[in-house]
Amino acid sequence: MSNANYLAYDVTVLEREFADLLAAFPELAEDEELRADTIEGETDAHRVLARIVAVERDADSMSKAIAERQRDLAARKARHERRKEAMRALLFRLLKAAGLPKVALPEATVSITKKAAGVEIIDEALLPDNVVRLVRTPDKAAIKEALAAGDVPGARMGEPGETLTVRAA
């Protein structure tokens, strides 16, 4: 069983323990400070919370490290792409200067070939609708503003929820 499975099991056990404590001592439901002290003293909640935070922090650190590595690799890839294009430009110049459309080397055959004409956009604003792709996306800020002023067909304000904040020193 993985660490996450053990932690999920521990949380399930603690949920039952919390329900049992509230059933045995109904006054805990009304007094948050007493409930917090009882949970800390009578259960493993703080130990489990600390383990969960440790795993969450480790996952956060790994995620950030991977993102940094991806940025480094993307920069390295871009450098190599630029180098490749520079070398291709030099190959092209040499073949053109020599007047040779094709040169066979032991490593590769280098040749200049004709390419098909490509479409060039001169003024995108002048293109008719039947030759452009229009992307329709909701503007949530505008929708929220419009909902505050009234009804917006196809939209509504969602229910507020709760979120978790983890601040690690």
Side-chain angles (χ1 to χ4, degrees):
M1 195 183 314
S2 73
N3 197 24
N5 289 340
Y6 283 121
L7 291 171
Y9 175 76
D10 288 342
V11 168
T12 300
V13 169
L14 284 169
E15 288 171 331
R16 279 186 296 212
E17 287 181 20
F18 297 163
D20 291 347
L21 279 172
L22 286 173
F25 306 101
E27 63 274 14
L28 293 176
E30 304 301 319
D31 188 340
E32 184 178 334
E33 187 176 333
L34 178 61
R35 186 171 61 251
D37 289 344
T38 302
I39 286 172
E40 182 179 2
E42 298 297 321
T43 71
D44 285 337
H46 282 231
R47 181 184 59 79
V48 171
L49 284 168
R51 285 179 40 220
I52 293 170
V53 166
V55 172
E56 185 271 344
R57 294 286 78 204
D58 182 56
D60 183 60
S61 295
M62 290 299 290
S63 175
K64 288 176 181 171
I66 290 167
E68 181 64 29
R69 181 73 172 135
Q70 285 175 321
R71 282 190 292 275
D72 291 346
L73 289 172
R76 185 176 182 151
K77 178 184 178 202
R79 282 193 310 273
H80 285 286
E81 289 288 335
R82 286 191 304 273
R83 178 183 287 165
K84 177 186 90 168
E85 291 307 317
M87 295 304 108
R88 291 177 64 84
L90 291 175
L91 288 167
F92 188 83
R93 280 178 49 196
L94 273 177
L95 289 180
K96 286 301 261 185
L100 297 172
K102 181 177 178 180
V103 174
L105 302 171
E107 300 85 12
T109 299
V110 183
S111 59
I112 296 175
T113 57
K114 299 284 184 195
K115 68 177 189 173
V119 174
E120 293 180 17
I121 307 301
I122 299 164
D123 187 348
E124 193 173 308
L126 296 176
L127 295 173
D129 287 347
N130 67 329
V131 296
V132 295
R133 292 187 187 125
L134 301 176
V135 178
R136 180 180 156 134
T137 59
D139 179 348
K140 289 190 176 184
I143 293 169
K144 184 175 182 179
E145 189 177 307
L147 282 170
D151 191 38
V152 175
R156 67 175 181 199
M157 289 300 292
E159 294 296 321
E162 296 177 319
T163 187
L164 177 72
T165 301
V166 177
R167 290 189 189 102

